[in-house]
């Protein structure tokens, strides 16, 4: 067209042709005015192209006193193959690197300040994350100073610490062994608080006692947890032989005498406390609690960063054989108080027979059904049914296939489960349905796409399976498929607007909602609503909290979304969606954090079942009490 006498023409093939020719000129060394010397290898390029892609090189070229000569830039610490990958990217906008080279490409991109490439490489590493590479990836991200990448990897470690602890890289980490002696009637605090106290105690040791961390790791350290909830150096307990149990053997050790440095410090300081400012000045490296697991009633396993070094802490707690060295008074036991405790414990709702995370839950014939899921040992086939009238869990017929990371729905009076993981293959295509009259599970036609962590929902007498993980890893899917139980046929529906796995799915007022989840590793707060009349998905008001692996149920005309995982922590928080106002409102939080839990409405009450609290797999259940806007693990009579 020639509007107003001006010739306008757009050549769609020009840019592609030009960049291809420029890259060919680079590889042949023609018209090049930059020589990159990388560990003995010489790479030729054009100054203008690199200046556009690399702020680091732009600064170098901009300060060059001879802009018309050939610039020489030397790198002694980069991989030449990685730099060649970046040069190809600069000329073609295509980033191609073998899996083994990605970390080197990231390092080179970091040096050249190519932030977009850094992010792409970091996301790729996260997509390939597994228990075997978590520790090397975490060390790499820490060296690179990438807080975003470190945070995502730490979130993965928190969910998979036990599996990671079996890897060779974990076993080679520096180890600190602690025994904590408890004042009478005390229990160890929750893990986060416990290890915050441990890390602070270690910082004090390094500052007050001049004790090198490496030397402290050579022998078991004994601590004392007093009634005022503080950790003290166990050397303050006089001449008592203590016992420390670890995974290999039981060691006997003699209490160490009070250290000379500590005695000097005690004589010059009445408080014995360390100001936060002095810690900051003296401890320049990172101190951080990452994740922990309670391996039995008194032993904990923790992964932490101690003075900038990724380390393992083994902690064993036991009762004190004698009174507190600080003569802290302890509360005498009261028979009436004990009776109150026993009475309260009797009113706790009955727990599941098996701790379960990633389970399927639904209400069927006035009972709450909890199926499958996984614990530390395996994916489960077992299915339990809860009767609120008797407060009892009973087993019904097990599923044909062990499965976890799936959702369950009720369609035409029968339970349906689809996809998930069996613990051996990442994604399943098989499904099955439960007939309560026959107490039997039978197969249903397989999904056309293997998928795990998909949303499952019944709507308009059809079963919908939405999103999930693709067979290659953690990348979310947009797929939406519908199953007709009469024709036994799967059909495709409109895809989601956003890729999602570990999203919650639920039907409300003839519409289907898909809530949160994760696109790849980033947790989502966005929500989509499906209208079956015109086969369309519409984005609605987002949640207040981004979360994946949350539970969802419909209660009093609203969507209740509880728990889940925000990328760093298992969540306790709960929010509700009002479709008449298109808004989310925060509600009272659960008593336990629960990721990958189940939810259902039973006998007019919202139940949260099982899940993972960040440290333990849960068998407990709790219910929502709307009159008080709180959750309780107790029977109604207990409130």
């Amino acid at each position: 067209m020639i509007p107003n006498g001006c010739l306008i023409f757009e050549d769609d093939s020009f840019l592609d042709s030009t960049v291809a020719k420029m890259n060919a000129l680079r590889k042949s060394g023609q018209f090049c005015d930059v020589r990159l010397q990388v560990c003995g290898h010489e790479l030729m390029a054009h100054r203008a192209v690199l200046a556009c892609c690399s702020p680091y090189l732009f600064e170098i070229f901009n300060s060059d006193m001879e802009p018309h000569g050939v610039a020489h830039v030397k790198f002694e610490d980069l991989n030449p193959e990685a730099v060649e990958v970046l040069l190809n990217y600069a000329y073609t906008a295509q980033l191609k690197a073998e899996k083994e080279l990605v970390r080197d490409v990231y390092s080179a991109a970091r040096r050249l300040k190519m932030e977009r490439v850094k992010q792409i490489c970091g996301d790729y590493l996260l997509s390939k994350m597994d228990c075997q590479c978590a520790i090397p990836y975490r060390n790499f991200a820490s060296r690179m100073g990438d807080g975003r990448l470190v945070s995502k990897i730490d979130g993965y470690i928190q969910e998979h610490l036990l599996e990671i602890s079996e890897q060779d890289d974990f076993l080679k980490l520096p180890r600190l062994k602690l025994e904590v002696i408890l004042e009478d009637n005390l229990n160890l605090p929750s893990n986060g608080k416990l290890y915050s106290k441990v890390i602070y105690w270690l910082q004090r040791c390094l500052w007050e006692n001049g004790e090198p961390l490496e030397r402290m790791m050579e022998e078991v350290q004994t601590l004392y947890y007093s009634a005022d909830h503080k950790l003290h150096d166990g050397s303050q307990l006089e001449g008592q032989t203590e016992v420390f149990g670890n995974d290999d053997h039981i060691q006997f050790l003699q209490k160490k005498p009070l250290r000379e440095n500590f005695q000097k410090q005690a004589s010059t300081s009445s408080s014995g406390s360390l100001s936060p400012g002095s810690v900051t000045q003296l401890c320049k490296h990172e101190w951080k609690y990452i994740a922990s697991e309670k391996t039995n009633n008194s032993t904990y396993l923790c992964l932490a960063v101690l003075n900038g070094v990724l380390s393992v802490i083994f902690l064993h707690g036991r009762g004190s054989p004698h009174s507190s060295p600080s003569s802290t008074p302890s509360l005498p036991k009261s028979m009436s108080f004990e009776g109150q405790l026993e009475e309260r414990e009797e009113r706790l709702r009955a727990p599941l027979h098996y701790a379960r995370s990633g389970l399927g839950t639904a209400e069927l014939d006035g009972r709450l059904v909890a199926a499958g899921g996984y614990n530390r040992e395996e994916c489960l086939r077992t299915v339990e049914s809860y009767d609120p009238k008797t407060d009892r869990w009973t087993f019904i017929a097990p599923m044909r296939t062990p499965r976890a990371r799936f959702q369950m729905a009720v369609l035409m009076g029968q339970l349906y489960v689809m996809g998930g993981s069996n613990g051996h293959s990442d994604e399943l295509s098989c499904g099955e349905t439960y007939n309560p009259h026959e107490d039997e599970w039978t197969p249903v036609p397989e999904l056309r796409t293997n998928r795990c962590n998909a949303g499952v929902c019944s709507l308009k007498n059809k079963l919908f399976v939405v999103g999930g993980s693709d067979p290659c890893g953690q990348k979310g899917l947009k797929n939406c498929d519908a199953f007709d139980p009469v024709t036994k046929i799967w059909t495709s529906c409109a895809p989601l607007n956003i890729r999602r796995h570990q999203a919650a799915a639920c039907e409300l007022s003839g519409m289907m909602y898909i809530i949160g989840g994760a696109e790849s590793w980033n947790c989502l707060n966005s929500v989509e609503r499906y209208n079956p009349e015109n086969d369309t998905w519409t984005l609605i008001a987002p949640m207040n909290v981004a979360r994946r692996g949350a539970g969802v149920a419909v209660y009093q005309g609203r969507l209740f979304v509880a728990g889940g995982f925000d990328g760093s922590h298992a969540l306790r928080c709960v929010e509700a969606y009002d479709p008449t106002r298109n808004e989310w409102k925060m509600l009272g939080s659960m008593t336990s954090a629960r990721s990958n839990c189940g939810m259902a409405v039973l006998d007019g009450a919202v139940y949260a079942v099982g899940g993972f609290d960040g440290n333990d797999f849960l068998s407990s259940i709790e219910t929502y009490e709307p009159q008080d806007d709180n959750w309780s693990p107790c029977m109604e009579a207990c409130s």
Side-chain angles (χ1 to χ4, degrees):
M1 296 181 63
I2 310 178
N4 300 323
C6 297
L7 173 64
I8 299 176
F9 169 70
E10 294 184 5
D11 189 344
D12 295 334
S13 64
F14 176 79
L15 285 178
D16 291 340
S17 173
T18 300
V19 296
K21 290 177 181 177
M22 289 186 68
N23 199 32
L25 290 173
R26 174 185 74 84
K27 292 183 177 181
S28 63
Q30 292 179 279
F31 309 119
C32 292
D33 53 3
V34 177
R35 293 178 185 270
L36 301 180
Q37 294 179 332
V38 187
C39 294
H41 292 73
E42 187 172 81
L43 305 174
M44 304 295 290
H46 302 93
R47 188 190 312 233
V49 176
L50 299 191
C52 291
C53 298
S54 167
Y56 175 82
L57 292 176
F58 177 87
E59 294 169 8
I60 291 178
F61 299 153
N62 200 38
S63 62
D64 194 339
M65 299 302 293
E66 299 180 5
H68 300 296
V70 176
H72 293 266
V73 185
K74 193 173 184 178
F75 299 102
E76 294 292 350
D77 55 350
L78 300 181
N79 185 331
E81 293 183 54
V83 176
E84 175 65 23
V85 168
L86 294 182
L87 292 181
N88 274 318
Y89 171 77
Y91 280 80
T92 67
Q94 293 182 340
L95 192 66
K96 296 181 179 180
E98 297 296 330
K99 178 181 178 181
E100 295 75 15
L101 194 60
V102 172
R103 277 184 278 183
D104 287 337
V105 173
Y106 180 107
S107 300
R110 175 175 177 267
R111 180 72 172 276
L112 299 180
K113 299 183 179 180
M114 299 172 70
E115 295 300 321
R116 177 61 174 161
V117 176
K118 266 182 55 181
Q119 181 178 344
I120 295 300
C121 290
D123 290 343
Y124 175 86
L125 293 176
L126 291 175
S127 73
K128 299 299 180 184
M129 178 76 67
D130 59 29
C131 294
Q132 188 170 356
C133 65
I135 296 299
Y137 280 9
R138 209 278 175 189
N139 286 330
F140 171 77
S142 180
R143 289 198 307 272
M144 295 296 106
D146 190 329
R148 182 189 76 96
L149 194 57
V150 166
S151 176
K152 297 294 184 183
I153 296 172
D154 285 352
Y156 182 90
I157 290 173
Q158 287 171 0
E159 283 197 327
H160 302 86
L161 182 59
L162 263 186
E163 299 95 321
I164 292 170
S165 69
E166 298 173 357
Q167 305 302 317
D168 290 341
D169 288 306
F170 187 91
L171 300 176
K172 295 175 184 176
L173 292 175
R175 297 182 172 206
L176 179 71
K177 297 178 180 180
L178 303 175
E179 181 184 34
V180 177
I181 300 173
L182 303 169
E183 173 62 276
D184 291 342
N185 303 322
L186 285 184
N187 293 314
L188 288 172
S190 61
N191 286 336
K193 294 180 180 178
L194 173 62
Y195 285 104
S196 294
K197 294 176 186 290
V198 168
I199 288 174
Y200 183 67
W201 173 80
L202 286 168
Q203 290 174 320
R204 288 191 57 171
C205 283
L206 265 66
W207 183 74
E208 292 180 342
N209 304 355
E211 186 79 80
L213 184 59
E214 295 80 5
R215 186 178 301 170
M216 295 178 70
M217 290 181 172
E218 292 175 359
E219 56 186 30
V220 177
Q221 303 296 317
T222 305
L223 308 180
Y224 179 81
Y225 187 59
S226 61
D228 57 358
H229 305 293
K230 293 181 180 179
L231 280 177
H232 303 275
D233 194 320
S235 60
Q236 297 175 58
L237 297 173
E238 296 181 357
Q240 187 82 20
T241 300
E242 301 298 342
V243 180
F244 177 84
N246 59 28
D247 50 351
D248 298 322
H249 57 282
I250 295 178
Q251 295 178 329
F252 292 87
L253 61 144
Q254 192 71 25
K255 280 285 192 304
K256 292 173 292 206
L258 203 61
R259 296 189 185 97
E260 182 180 349
N261 287 349
F262 185 84
Q263 290 173 324
K264 179 185 287 188
Q265 181 69 24
S267 65
T268 57
S269 172
S270 60
S271 65
S273 63
L274 180 62
S275 67
S278 57
V279 170
T280 303
Q281 290 177 349
L282 291 167
C283 302
K284 298 179 181 179
H285 294 293
E286 183 183 22
W287 296 82
K288 179 183 177 182
Y289 158 80
I290 296 176
S292 59
E293 287 279 1
K294 188 175 182 180
T295 56
N296 59 43
N297 289 337
S298 60
T299 305
Y300 292 80
L301 171 70
C302 172
L303 186 64
V305 181
L306 305 179
N307 209 21
V309 178
L310 194 62
S311 307
V312 179
I313 302 175
F314 288 107
L315 187 149
H316 176 74
R318 69 174 185 82
S320 173
H322 50 269
S323 61
S324 164
S326 58
S327 300
T328 304
S330 59
L331 182 68
K333 294 183 179 180
S334 164
M335 290 303 295
S336 60
F337 180 66
E338 284 182 348
Q340 293 172 11
L341 283 178
E342 289 174 3
E343 184 179 358
R344 180 175 177 85
E345 287 175 358
E346 287 175 358
R347 292 177 180 175
L348 289 173
R349 292 191 182 273
L352 292 154
H353 289 97
Y354 289 95
R356 302 171 187 265
S357 182
L359 70 161
T361 53
E363 183 275 333
L364 182 67
D365 297 335
R367 297 190 175 209
L368 194 160
V369 179
Y374 59 91
N375 53 31
R376 285 200 174 94
E377 298 174 356
E378 59 183 346
C379 287
L380 304 171
R381 291 177 57 215
T382 54
V383 183
E384 303 183 43
S385 174
Y386 177 75
D387 186 343
K389 296 182 178 64
T390 61
D391 185 37
R392 288 185 58 196
W393 289 94
T394 55
F395 287 106
I396 60 176
M399 294 183 293
R400 301 168 65 91
T401 301
R403 70 179 77 223
R405 299 188 183 278
F406 69 100
Q407 294 178 25
M408 184 162 63
V410 178
L411 179 61
M412 295 183 177
Q414 296 196 171
L415 295 173
Y416 281 80
V417 298
M418 294 303 306
S421 170
N422 63 11
H424 303 291
S425 58
D426 290 335
E427 291 83 18
L428 299 172
S429 61
C430 63
E432 47 193 300
T433 181
Y434 174 75
N435 185 330
H437 303 295
E438 303 291 337
D439 189 28
E440 183 180 29
W441 293 86
T442 56
V444 298
E446 293 194 351
L447 290 161
R448 290 180 291 182
T449 302
N450 292 30
R451 58 175 97 181
C452 180
N453 290 318
V456 176
C457 177
S458 61
L459 177 68
K460 301 289 186 181
N461 291 326
K462 289 186 178 181
L463 183 76
F464 288 79
V465 179
V466 189
S469 306
D470 69 355
C472 299
Q474 293 294 325
K475 190 175 182 181
L477 298 172
K478 290 186 175 182
N479 306 42
C480 176
D481 296 314
F483 176 72
D484 188 326
V486 178
T487 64
K488 311 291 186 185
I489 294 175
W490 288 96
T491 55
S492 295
C493 304
L496 292 163
N497 292 291
I498 299 172
R499 296 177 180 273
R500 299 174 191 270
H501 66 98
Q502 280 192 283
C506 197
E507 183 270 339
L508 174 61
S509 301
M511 302 282 192
M512 176 168 54
Y513 292 78
I514 192 85
I515 304 158
E519 189 169 4
S520 178
W521 284 90
N522 297 322
C523 292
L524 302 170
N525 68 344
S526 59
V527 182
E528 300 186 44
R529 179 170 59 204
Y530 178 73
N531 185 341
E533 300 300 327
N534 55 16
D535 189 31
T536 56
W537 289 94
T538 304
L539 286 163
I540 61 171
M543 291 185 291
N544 296 289
V545 179
R547 58 181 94 205
R548 59 182 171 89
V552 62
V554 173
Y555 183 65
Q556 295 181 342
R558 296 184 294 169
L559 293 175
F560 271 55
V561 177
F565 188 75
D566 66 359
S568 300
H569 304 93
L571 301 173
R572 295 173 53 236
C573 59
V574 182
E575 50 189 306
Y577 175 73
D578 185 343
T580 61
R581 297 187 177 186
N582 189 31
E583 66 180 18
W584 290 88
K585 179 183 177 182
M586 299 303 296
L587 301 178
S589 295
M590 295 184 293
T591 60
S592 297
R594 297 177 188 267
S595 66
N596 293 314
C597 65
M599 282 189 73
V601 174
L602 185 67
D603 198 21
V606 182
Y607 284 70
V609 184
F612 181 71
D613 68 1
N615 298 300
D616 295 307
F617 292 91
L618 303 177
S619 60
S620 62
I621 62 175
E622 54 185 295
T623 56
Y624 179 69
E625 299 174 353
Q627 65 275 15
D628 301 319
D629 186 30
N630 65 21
W631 293 76
S632 173
C634 300
M635 299 289 288
E636 187 174 332
C638 183
S639 57

